[in-house]
Every structure is written in structure tokens, then in C-alpha cells.
Amino acid sequence: MDQENKINELIEKKALWYEKTFKKTVSRFPERKKEFKTSYGKVVDPVYTPADVKDIDYAKDIGFPGDYPYTRGVQPTMYRGRFWTMRQYAGFASAEESNKRYRYLLEQGQTGLSVAFDLPTQIGYDSDDEMSEGEVGKVGVAIDSLKDMEILFDSIPLDKVSVSMTINSTSAILLSMLMAVGEKQGVRHDQLRGTIQNDILKEYIARGTYVFPPDPSMRVIVDIFEYGSKNLPKFNLISISGYHIREAGANAVQEVAFTIADGIAYVEAAIKAGLDPNVFGTNLSFFFNAHNNFIEEISKFRAARKIWAKVMKERFHVTNEEALKLKFHTQTAGSTLTAQQPMNNIIRVTMQALSAVLGGTQSLHTNSFDEALGLPTQESATIALRTQQIIAYESGVTDTVDPFAGSYLIEHLTKDIEGKAMEYIKKIDDMGGMVRAVETGYVQKEILNSAYEAQLRIEKKEDVIVGMNEFTTEKGSKPTPILKVDTSVEEKQKAKIKELKEKRDNNLVSEKLSSLKQAAASKENLMPFIYEAVKAYATLGEITNVLREVFGEFRESVIL
Amino acid sequence: MEKRIRVVVGKPGLDGHDRGSKVVARALRDAGMEVIYTGIRQTPEEIVNTVLQEDADILGLSILSGAHMKLCQKIIKLMKEKEINVPIFLGGIIPADDIPELKKMGVNEVFGPGTSFEDIIKRVKEIVLGTAV
Amino acid sequence: MSWEQQYNLISDDFFKGRIYALAKMITLVENHPDSAWKIIETLKKNTSGDTPTIGFTGSPGAGKSTLVSAYVSMMAAKNQKIGVIAVDPSSPFTMGAFLGDRIRMRDISESESVYIRSVASRGSVGGLCDAIYDIVDVMKAFGFDKIIIETVGAGQSEIEIVYVADTVLLVMSPDSGDEIQMFKAGIMEIADGYVVNKIDLPQANAFSVKLRNTLALENDVKSKRKVFEVSASKNLGVEELEKWIDQFYSEMSSNGEIFKRHERRLKRRVRSNLMRVMDNIISSQEVGKNSLREFKSMIVKKYIQQEACDD
């Protein structure tokens, strides 16, 4: 009661302050803008007070780190125990070149690997496929068979280094290759640590590396869950990704809402297939974007953690605490990098990375400043890693868990983002779930609308991008050196495939491929069959083509 | 009747990052153009065929995967074979070093990240109305 | 360049069957509505007989493009030459348009024997565009075995298609709620056949039953109309639809219905043309001190003058 009186008194006082002090000043010195807004359009007040968090119950809504609903973090000690995994996404050209870059990064103190694959590998085409022309080794490393994978991880101990792979439609194949390489190193499957992205829904929504239609794609994912939760207990079998949804133009609320809605779809599919969310739930992980609005982003990460815990507990009746925890990787927002005055990007990345750390991320990729121009050079990649190390070792923000908690604004925004995201999730439920919402193009359209509005704000200079629409310098500034990918990669990969196909046991390959085909047409778990085919040195394209024959291919049908 | 600019916006290659192409397509539409949007993962053959069948005034391409040299080369070669004389603009992550060669190849304009709608619309109109005379 | 010059540049290649010339000829009639009939007249010398024209209408999201794609690929497989016109709306404010139907026709867009043209409605409200009659004629003169038209799909007022096409199909999807409203509305009246698409959806059966029941209560003509259950994306039931369309056309040819429809089309077309010209004249003239009657006869005079000039 006393508390309530105090709050009411405060509300009155604030109203008084607003009328007398604030307005008086504004009448003489107007504010810079009529309204100050978050990325999702919420108008922010000039000042926040305990009255703005009066509906928040500390014990219930915020709690303690490591305790439900995990708003403050999933571990009790957070970075006092161990820093986040510094995991720089890298990979280009051939397996040999990427291997060199990985070994360099590990020597520099990076603590986990994150493998970027080229587009043909992500979409299931061999380097000698007509569709691959011009794309081989461009945005990542080209992997055609187990042979390439053996080279990629040469001298990298897979029992010590965790490996994250950005792979979706062909994740079962690349995961099988990783397992096979591990085996050759003498590493048991249950020792392997890492993550496969394996999030097909956001490919239809935002990233575009789909192969099969939604139904068979979901089946493969569930197969991986089932197989992986038995055989790869330390592996994250999916990284449910908001990153690309945000990059496609979504705002912070949409990023959280659509990502969680994707997560719900996967959990539902797995439960329908008879899996226990208490078990496979511990192998789920998430991937978010760290964007420009510092305070909003910190709140977003906290809100996402809370929503997921509640969804798992209340909607799916999960009791295993480990399966309630939203563990996530973060990457700083690539779309915020400017090609103009590229060095400014170092500062942007620093602040974005700081928001991810203050938001309690489990691992982090910081972008290189030259990524709006091309692939990062060794120098720019090193600066990006150093940025994380400076935050970790020098800033002091890692000494206390969730240090921004209790900020009226941050707690208010955390709650607000949660509420708005839940409204979206409800809407998607009403549409019949995320798969349907994606098929009808609803999600894509919402994102495009946000993207277009954001661009218009930049055009009108309502949003200022330093060096791009304000504080520009004349052209002719010194050119930034960028990495050139050796164009002979494509030829080399083609030659390697040719040699492979001459040397391997082709009878064994066709035998393994035809059993895979049979399994695909039945309801059997595909993982053992893919694993066998991989070990027989069937190529990625051959395996994907077998599945294409059975599953068909997805065609985009969305209107703008 | 006032001439309506017909523009084909296409994404050749395997790159699925279509934010730029979609947003630009919308901006061109809002500038009064008729925009034929092809969607992602188009082969050069498909794109050239669309330009041909739709009697487009200009072709816009968006490539972020680094495959722009080869894809542009292929598209321009096909257009020459089919005697299609339609100007091309290109957007995406295009290293400055590549621009002179792209222009020599026959790309009329390259828009890097951060180019404003206003500039794109203005240039598209200039190119089309210039070549239409 | 005048339209005559443009025409002369491409006409030889048009008659040689070159696609680029067809594409440019369509642009020409689209951009020169006043001269289009002269172009058509010249082109028509080349035509023999009539080309069946089939219209697909229905609300957005019903799956028209996907159905057209499945239907056309069936005919293309038999080496039939097919022309497709897909109409999308223009913005009434900017006149810009998004022409996105092609995306859903990828399976046929690479076929040698299929030509797809995306067309913007350019202010026309009937679900098509003003130039549609001319575009269809250009395509007929080019020599297709069939011409397929997909309407904008904006709603119930889309009845123009009934004048343009020989056969009209209404495409419906069991998952869009507004379909029930449509049962009663104008668009239901005009269709020769109803296609329930996405038949693999759980609610599809109930939807079909409801549709059949509604039709059964109607008059003789309507209750005899066919209902097709298809899944365009899974290619189910499309073959039956294809057969029926051919059969229906030959029935119409033998019982004389087709001539009635052609006559109806001709009248509508002349009406549309006159109205457009009149509209232009009316809006360009000042009323001044003229009385209503004087103003009217001034308009008619203007019209006659203009018509004489054109001839």
C-alpha cells in the first residue's frame, strides 16, 4: 500500500515536472525531433522513473541470473566465470585457404570456429554444377565432399575447438562430414561441440538458401534432432536465427517475434514426431543481431530470453531447466556497415558488440569494418576480434552480471518488447503457425514494410547515418584494400571432384545413394543414411540430388 | 499517352539477400514505374528471357555474393546473342576495382551500398529516357 | 518516333515470328490506344480463324498464377504455343505497378512455346487494362494456339474478363474467408467453371460441398456449371480441367454460343473505345457559357471531327 502511494505520488510529481520544468525548457529550446522512436516505432519519453516499471514484479519477471525466467542471463556467474565464445565467421575460397585462416584466428585467441560456406555448398550444388558458375568459393569455403572437409579441419582438434557451421538445407550432410572427420581424428561423436544453423524457416523468410519445400525440410530437421540428441549431446542441433530476419529489414520486435515463432514451429514438429522437448530442448540455440539502438538492443536480448523460457515452460510444459534456457550467438549487424568512410564501422561494431555483451550473449561475432566493400582482409578480421577482447578484458562491464538491470528504461523496454512480440506470436498462431505464415508471405511482407520504412527514414534524414547521409566527405578518399578471392578456386574444385570420382569406390557410392533414396521415400531417419553416403565419398551435390528427386524443390512464390 | 518505364529487377546467381532488390523495386514502383520482379536464384537465361518477353526498358540486377563479374558477363553475352539492346544497372557489394571493367562490359551504372532512392530513380530515368529517343 | 515508324521497324520480324517484335508490338498498342485499331487491322490480315481465349479470375492468394502455370505447362508439353497475359494493378496515385505473377510461373517461363507478358492495369477498374482487347489481338495475330488471361484479382467488380475471354474460370481457395461472400456476388455469375484450388488443405472438402450446394439452389444454367477440385502446386486435377476447357470450347463452337460471345465482345469493345475517346474530349473541353444541350452537341461535333481525321 505504502509502495502504491509512493508510486502515485511519483506519477503526480512527474506530471508536474513535465508541465513546469520540462515544457518551459522545450518552449525556449525545442527538442531535436518531434518524437524519439525505437526501431519498432515506440515513442520514447524524455525520462523514465520507477512509475514506468511499477507493473514489473522483480522476482517473477526479472529474477536472478541462472534462474527462471532467465531475464538476467542463463548462468549464475555469466562472464565472471568465463567470457563468451569469441567466434568469428570466416571461410572463403578453398578448404586449404580457410584452414590457414582458422589456424591464424585460433592462434590469435579466438575460442571457437564459425564456418562460412559458399552458396553452392549451402544450396547443394557441387562446384562443377552449372548452377555454381561464378559462385564457387565466393562467400565462403567450397565443400564438395568429405575430402574437402578433411582438409578444412586439418590439425584442428575437434574435441577441443567447437565448430559452428552456417548451413541449413544441407546441414545433415555437413554435420555428417564433421562427424566423419572427427572419427578420423579419433574424436568420438559425443565429444563433438558446436552448432549447425539448420534453421530452414528463416531461409524462406529472409536468406534464400532453401532447397526443398517446407514439409520435407521440417522432416529432415526433426531427423537431425532425433539422431543428434542421442549421438551428439554437446552439439547445438539448430541455431534459430533472427539475425538474417533483422538484416532483411525487420525491427527489433519482429526479430524476436519471428525467431521465437520459428522456434515454436520446430518444437511442435519435433513433439509431433514423438521427441521429448525436455531432451532435444537442450540442443536448441539461437542467433540474434546486434543493431544500432544500444539500449533497445540490450532490452531485446533480455526479452527474448524471458519469452523463450515462458514458451517452453507454459506452452510445451518443459520441466528440464536446461531446456528452458535461451542460449544465443550474436553477430553485429552487417546491414549497418557503410561503404562510405569504412573505418567508422569499427566504432559501430564496438557499440553493437557491447550491447550483445550487456544482453548476455553466449558467443559473438564482430563484423570487420570492410564488409560493405567485400570479404574481410586478415587485418580487418584481426581488428574485429580485438574489439571483443577489449570489451572482455578492459571495459569492466563483464565483472557484474547483467549490469544494466534496474534501469527504468531498460526494464520498461524489455517488458514492452516482450508484449509486442507476443502479439505477433499470437497472430501467427491464429494463422495456423509459422510454416503457414511463411507460405502466405505474411512474414516476408511485414519485414519488407519495415525495411522500406527504414530506408525512407534514411532518405529523409530522419535517421542519420554518419558518413552516409550526413557528415559525408568528398569522393576520392583513399581506397580500402579488400580481399580478392583467387578465381582459380572453381577450376581447382572441379579438378578435385573429377579426381575423386575416378578414385573412389563408385559401386559403393551408388549403393549408399540408393539406400538413401529409399529411406527418403519412407519415414526412416535420414541421418544414418546420409552419414554412410558421406563416408563413401558421395559428393554433396549427389546426396542433395537424391533428396531433390524425392522431395521436390521449393519455388519462391511471394509477391511484394 | 505518357511513357511508362518498364523495368525488370532480377537477382541472378545463388545469392538470396533480396532486401536491396525488393526495396529498390518498391521505390521504382512508387516513382511510377512498372516493375517486373523476378525473384531470387534466376539463371542468366531466365533473366534475359524476361527482359525480352516483357519488352523492358531497363534491367536492374542485384548481386551480393561476389559473383557479379561472371554473371554480368554471361547476361550481357546472352543479350547480345538475342540482339537485345537494353541498358543495365547493378546494385550490391561491388568492389570499386571492378566498376571500370563492368562498365566496359556494358553495365551502364553501378549503385553501391548506401545509394539513395533519389539517385537511383534519377539515374534510371536518365538512362531510359536518354536511350529511348 | 511515331507509332508508324516504330511499327515499320518491327512488323517484318513480327510476321517472322520473332519474340522481341511481339513484345514491342504489345508495347506499341499499349502506349498508343488511339492508333491501336489501325495496327490491329494491319496485323489481322495475317490471322486465320479464332484463337481460344481463356480467362482466370479470383481473389488474390487463390493461386491463379500457380494454376495457370500448371495448366499451361500441360499444353506446352504437347507443343502447343501459348500466350499468357498476366494483369496486375497499377497504383492510382503513382501509376507505378508491381508485376510479380511471373515469379509463380517459373516452370513455364523457360518453355520455348510459351510467351508471358505482364501487364499493368493502368487505371482500368474491371480487373484488366484498357488495352487488353488490343493486346489479345496482337497475340492472336502472332499465332498462338491458345491465349490465357489472368486478371488482377481484386474483387467482385472484375467482370470485364467475360467480354474479353471465350471461357472464364473462377479460381477459389478454401483458406480465404471472403470466398463465401463471393458466392452471392457478381463474379460468381460470370464464370463458366469453378476451380477449388489447394484441395490438399484440410478444409477443402467442406468448401467444395458448400459451393456445390449453393450452386444446386441456383437456376438451371448455373447448377450445371462444373466444379473442379485441383491442387495447382501438386498438379492434381489439372488434366481434367484442361480436357474440359477444350471440350467446352468445341461445344460452344457447335451450338453457336461462341458467336454470341464474339458479338458481345465486339459491342463491348466498341463501347469501351468510344467511352475512352469521349472521356478525353469531355475532359478537355471547357463548358463556358454553353447550356447543357449546347455542350453536348459540341462534344458530339468534336467527336465526329476527330473520327473523320482518324479515317
Side-chain angles (χ1 to χ4, degrees):
Chain A
M1 202 58 209
D2 196 31
Q3 189 70 15
E4 209 179 311
N5 285 341
K6 267 188 179 168
I7 293 285
N8 287 337
E9 208 173 290
L10 185 64
I11 292 172
E12 276 168 34
K13 272 189 179 160
K14 186 179 171 184
L16 202 67
W17 167 83
Y18 186 76
E19 288 302 321
K20 290 213 157 163
T21 319
F22 182 78
K23 276 195 171 168
K24 200 165 97 194
T25 303
V26 168
S27 69
R28 286 168 58 211
F29 309 106
E31 291 187 307
R32 285 183 289 110
K33 294 183 193 175
K34 262 203 183 118
E35 282 178 330
F36 296 81
K37 286 181 182 172
T38 64
S39 78
Y40 60 96
K42 179 190 166 66
V43 177
V44 236
D45 290 346
V47 71
Y48 283 79
T49 69
D52 297 296
V53 296
K54 67 181 167 52
D55 297 329
I56 295 172
D57 178 333
Y58 181 85
K60 201 172 121 249
D61 292 322
I62 303 174
F64 290 94
D67 280 354
Y68 186 83
Y70 309 103
T71 311
R72 303 202 65 172
V74 291
Q75 298 118 3
T77 57
M78 287 305 286
Y79 309 130
R80 292 164 63 100
R82 174 172 95 70
F83 291 128
W84 60 92
T85 305
M86 299 178 191
R87 195 195 294 281
Q88 298 295 90
Y89 185 49
F92 54 90
S94 62
E96 287 87 351
E97 298 228 26
S98 296
N99 176 264
K100 259 190 239 160
R101 174 70 70 93
Y102 295 156
R103 283 156 69 175
Y104 171 79
L105 286 168
L106 290 170
E107 279 162 28
Q108 296 306 307
Q110 176 164 308
T111 47
L113 290 180
S114 175
V115 184
F117 296 100
D118 71 356
L119 286 165
T121 306
Q122 294 186 48
I123 306 174
Y125 296 117
D126 284 338
S127 298
D128 60 357
D129 195 296
E130 206 193 340
M131 292 297 288
S132 305
E133 229 186 307
E135 308 271 14
V136 176
K138 281 279 155 56
V139 301
V141 56
I143 300 291
D144 290 313
S145 74
L146 179 55
K147 271 263 167 343
D148 294 323
M149 203 72 158
E150 288 162 5
I151 299 165
L152 188 68
F153 293 111
D154 181 40
S155 308
I156 295 170
L158 291 178
D159 53 342
K160 297 203 175 63
V161 176
S162 78
V163 178
S164 166
M165 298 194 285
T166 299
I167 198 75
N168 295 278
S169 294
T170 52
S171 56
I173 305 172
L174 274 302
L175 178 60
S176 297
M177 287 183 183
L178 186 75
M179 286 157 51
V181 174
E183 218 171 65
K184 293 194 178 192
Q185 289 186 0
V187 178
R188 289 193 321 272
H189 295 166
D190 63 8
Q191 291 175 291
L192 288 172
R193 285 189 305 124
T195 307
I196 39 173
Q197 198 160 75
N198 201 23
D199 171 9
I200 195 65
L201 288 172
K202 66 96 176 51
E203 295 297 326
Y204 300 121
I205 298 169
R207 193 167 168 275
T209 71
Y210 44 73
V211 177
F212 316 116
D215 288 342
S217 293
M218 293 298 279
R219 176 229 169 146
V220 177
I221 289 169
V222 173
D223 281 357
I224 294 172
F225 285 180
E226 188 189 20
Y227 182 88
S229 53
K230 279 185 206 139
N231 300 294
L232 301 151
K234 291 186 187 164
F235 218 85
N236 294 313
L237 302 169
I238 193 167
S239 170
I240 306 160
S241 305
Y243 178 79
H244 316 90
I245 291 173
R246 189 69 183 272
E247 286 293 287
N251 59 42
V253 164
Q254 290 169 332
E255 180 190 354
V256 171
F258 297 155
T259 309
I260 302 275
D262 281 346
I264 290 171
Y266 295 124
V267 172
E268 276 175 352
I271 290 174
K272 211 172 141 195
L275 305 186
D276 179 1
N278 285 297
V279 180
F280 74 81
T282 61
N283 297 96
L284 306 178
S285 67
F286 287 78
F287 176 18
F288 289 109
N289 192 301
H291 217 270
N292 278 343
N293 191 325
F294 186 69
I295 300 287
E296 181 183 4
E297 291 299 283
I298 299 171
S299 314
K300 175 191 80 181
F301 298 120
R302 301 173 84 244
R305 229 176 355 248
K306 184 177 167 198
I307 297 174
W308 185 248
K310 279 172 86 171
V311 163
M312 287 299 267
K313 188 171 184 164
E314 290 168 14
R315 183 172 178 143
F316 297 117
H317 314 292
V318 168
T319 49
N320 178 1
E321 280 193 15
E322 283 308 304
L324 301 175
K325 295 177 181 175
L326 179 146
K327 297 164 290 177
F328 68 103
H329 172 69
T330 308
Q331 181 172 338
T332 57
S335 59
T336 64
L337 302 180
T338 60
Q340 300 79 6
Q341 306 178 26
M343 297 300 260
N344 295 349
N345 293 327
I346 298 175
I347 321 300
R348 291 192 178 97
V349 168
T350 307
M351 288 193 296
Q352 293 164 356
L354 189 57
S355 77
V357 169
L358 292 166
T361 194
Q362 275 60 59
S363 67
L364 179 61
H365 167 103
T366 33
N367 287 328
S368 300
F369 67 85
D370 49 4
E371 284 183 52
L373 305 165
L375 283 172
T377 59
Q378 183 137 316
E379 194 203 356
S380 67
T382 309
I383 294 175
L385 176 61
R386 296 287 179 256
T387 306
Q388 294 199 35
Q389 291 163 335
I390 290 168
I391 293 174
Y393 292 95
E394 299 181 18
S395 73
V397 298
T398 50
D399 299 349
T400 313
V401 178
D402 190 25
F404 277 28
S407 144
Y408 307 126
L409 173 58
I410 283 197
E411 295 300 354
H412 179 81
L413 277 183
T414 303
K415 179 115 183 165
D416 194 63
I417 291 171
E418 181 195 351
K420 298 253 166 48
M422 287 311 293
E423 281 170 26
Y424 260 124
I425 291 168
K426 167 86 176 45
K427 204 166 187 177
I428 290 163
D429 281 339
D430 290 344
M431 295 172 94
M434 200 55 169
V435 177
R436 283 295 294 145
V438 169
E439 277 174 351
T440 58
Y442 166 76
V443 179
Q444 295 91 318
K445 202 159 187 168
E446 286 290 300
I447 294 172
L448 180 64
N449 288 342
S450 295
Y452 193 58
E453 282 160 20
Q455 187 59 36
L456 288 178
R457 284 198 301 274
I458 293 172
E459 302 268 319
K460 290 184 211 142
K461 293 193 187 178
E462 284 169 20
D463 286 357
V464 169
I465 310 293
V466 174
M468 198 181 84
N469 64 358
E470 279 283 15
F471 316 111
T472 52
T473 43
E474 283 305 301
K475 278 182 188 164
S477 57
K478 94 176 158 107
T480 311
I482 56 158
L483 185 86
K484 282 268 179 190
V485 174
D486 181 4
T487 44
S488 65
V489 187
E490 195 164 324
E491 295 314 312
K492 284 181 192 155
Q493 285 299 116
K494 281 183 185 174
K496 271 204 258 176
I497 294 179
K498 196 162 169 266
E499 198 193 332
L500 176 83
K501 287 186 178 172
E502 280 161 11
K503 285 188 178 160
R504 68 181 184 185
D505 181 349
N506 280 310
N507 287 333
L508 184 67
V509 171
S510 34
E511 187 192 302
K512 297 294 180 196
L513 288 177
S514 75
S515 354
L516 171 63
K517 194 170 178 177
Q518 275 177 15
S522 75
K523 284 188 171 160
E524 273 186 274
N525 192 314
L526 292 181
M527 272 306 288
F529 295 92
I530 292 173
Y531 184 58
E532 286 294 312
V534 159
K535 284 213 298 186
Y537 292 95
T539 66
L540 169 107
E542 287 169 334
I543 296 171
T544 314
N545 281 338
V546 162
L547 298 176
R548 278 193 183 97
E549 279 173 39
V550 182
F551 295 154
E553 280 188 84
F554 178 77
R555 288 273 169 90
E556 155 189 54
S557 67
V558 171
I559 32 171
L560 297 171
Chain B
M1 190 169 199
E2 191 201 338
K3 182 174 168 58
R4 292 265 140 237
I5 295 177
R6 286 172 67 85
V7 45
V8 168
V9 175
K11 268 195 80 65
L14 301 179
D15 163 38
H17 294 94
D18 57 3
R19 173 183 183 167
S21 60
K22 279 179 168 171
V23 163
V24 167
R26 194 178 269 198
L28 295 175
R29 178 197 65 178
D30 289 352
M33 299 181 203
E34 292 178 359
V35 182
I36 296 121
Y37 182 71
T38 68
I40 66 166
R41 269 202 239 166
Q42 295 273 311
T43 63
E45 287 81 3
E46 284 175 305
I47 286 178
V48 171
N49 197 32
T50 301
V51 171
L52 177 76
Q53 294 195 356
E54 298 288 357
D55 189 27
D57 297 306
I58 190 164
L59 167 63
L61 299 170
S62 160
I63 308 168
L64 287 83
S65 69
H68 47 274
M69 293 310 261
K70 215 159 201 176
L71 289 169
C72 286
Q73 214 165 36
K74 213 166 165 190
I75 286 168
I76 289 167
K77 186 168 161 259
L78 280 168
M79 284 182 37
K80 278 188 181 142
E81 276 169 24
K82 299 201 174 188
E83 296 172 56
I84 303 170
N85 187 18
V86 168
I88 297 174
F89 66 95
L90 172 66
I93 298 190
I94 315 293
D97 288 2
D98 291 344
I99 295 176
E101 204 176 323
L102 285 163
K103 291 205 167 162
K104 215 167 81 192
M105 214 186 270
V107 174
N108 297 61
E109 193 60 84
V110 178
F111 298 118
T115 314
S116 70
F117 287 163
E118 204 186 325
D119 287 347
I120 296 173
I121 293 163
K122 202 175 116 214
R123 273 303 282 154
V124 166
K125 282 185 178 166
E126 268 172 22
I127 295 170
V128 172
L129 302 175
T131 51
V133 180
Chain C
M1 213 190 302
S2 74
W3 71 263
E4 286 96 338
Q5 286 169 304
Q6 289 183 50
Y7 176 85
N8 288 334
L9 272 180
I10 54 173
S11 63
D12 280 353
D13 281 341
F14 181 87
F15 292 121
K16 278 184 203 150
R18 294 194 56 188
I19 293 291
Y20 96 88
L22 166 64
K24 289 205 177 296
M25 197 66 85
I26 291 175
T27 309
L28 201 58
V29 295
E30 225 186 345
N31 288 346
H32 297 84
D34 292 328
S35 319
W37 64 272
K38 289 183 198 164
I39 298 169
I40 303 298
E41 205 88 317
T42 328
L43 295 180
K44 266 203 174 154
K45 288 176 192 141
N46 195 42
T47 1
S48 57
D50 201 35
T51 316
T53 308
I54 299 112
F56 287 83
T57 189
S59 64
K64 293 189 294 294
S65 304
T66 315
L67 179 63
V68 166
S69 182
Y71 170 54
V72 170
S73 65
M74 213 156 263
M75 295 184 287
K78 296 180 205 161
N79 280 325
Q80 291 192 43
K81 276 181 77 183
I82 310 293
V84 180
I85 306 167
V87 190
D88 274 315
S90 301
S91 154
F93 306 107
T94 66
M95 286 303 278
F98 246 134
L99 311 177
D101 292 327
R102 249 195 131 82
I103 296 187
R104 287 177 297 273
M105 297 187 186
R106 271 188 84 173
D107 289 331
I108 53 170
S109 63
E110 280 305 279
S111 165
E112 285 282 323
S113 57
V114 179
Y115 173 81
I116 305 171
R117 177 62 173 235
S118 312
V119 175
S121 67
R122 297 192 180 177
S124 172
V125 289
L128 297 167
C129 61
D130 287 341
I132 190 74
Y133 293 99
D134 303 324
I135 296 173
V136 170
D137 272 354
V138 170
M139 282 180 126
K140 283 181 178 171
F142 191 77
F144 287 104
D145 294 315
K146 273 198 194 80
I147 292 163
I148 315 297
I149 303 169
E150 183 190 327
T151 71
V152 167
Q156 301 167 358
S157 60
E158 287 198 347
I159 50 159
E160 196 67 23
I161 187 67
V162 80
Y163 299 102
V164 182
D166 301 317
T167 313
V168 176
L169 290 152
L170 176 62
V171 188
M172 293 177 278
S173 158
D175 62 345
S176 60
D178 61 336
E179 303 293 2
I180 305 298
Q181 278 308 311
M182 241 186 218
F183 283 178
K184 299 167 197 150
I187 203 158
M188 277 302 276
E189 310 284 331
I190 62 166
D192 296 304
Y194 307 95
V195 184
V196 179
N197 192 15
K198 306 185 191 176
I199 202 66
D200 46 327
L201 288 181
Q203 64 269 47
N205 259 337
F207 183 87
S208 287
V209 169
K210 198 163 189 175
L211 174 63
R212 283 177 204 276
N213 288 345
T214 313
L215 290 173
L217 297 174
E218 295 283 338
N219 60 39
D220 255 14
V221 187
K222 261 206 250 176
S223 58
K224 280 191 197 123
R225 285 179 189 161
K226 286 281 280 185
V227 175
F228 297 92
E229 281 143 355
V230 309
S231 163
S233 64
K234 302 210 159 85
N235 219 346
L236 301 172
V238 183
E239 210 173 338
E240 195 196 339
L241 177 68
E242 191 224 339
K243 274 194 196 130
W244 177 83
I245 290 172
D246 287 351
Q247 189 198 323
F248 184 71
Y249 188 80
S250 57
E251 266 170 36
M252 284 197 296
S253 305
S254 56
N255 66 18
E257 172 68 17
I258 197 78
F259 298 107
K260 278 190 216 160
R261 291 191 178 196
H262 285 174
E263 197 171 306
R264 183 171 72 183
R265 177 179 314 158
L266 196 83
K267 285 181 178 169
R268 179 74 172 192
R269 186 170 180 177
V270 168
R271 178 181 174 273
S272 305
N273 194 276
L274 285 177
M275 280 174 62
R276 193 181 50 75
V277 177
M278 281 292 189
D279 253 354
N280 284 342
I281 297 173
I282 293 169
S283 54
S284 67
Q285 295 298 310
E286 301 276 335
V287 181
K289 290 197 172 113
N290 287 310
S291 72
L292 192 62
R293 224 183 115 212
E294 284 163 348
F295 186 63
K296 189 186 134 201
S297 56
M298 192 173 109
I299 298 293
V300 173
K301 227 180 273 168
K302 269 268 171 217
Y303 175 76
I304 292 168
Q305 270 173 14
Q306 192 172 316
E307 195 71 343
C309 263
D310 271 2
D311 284 330

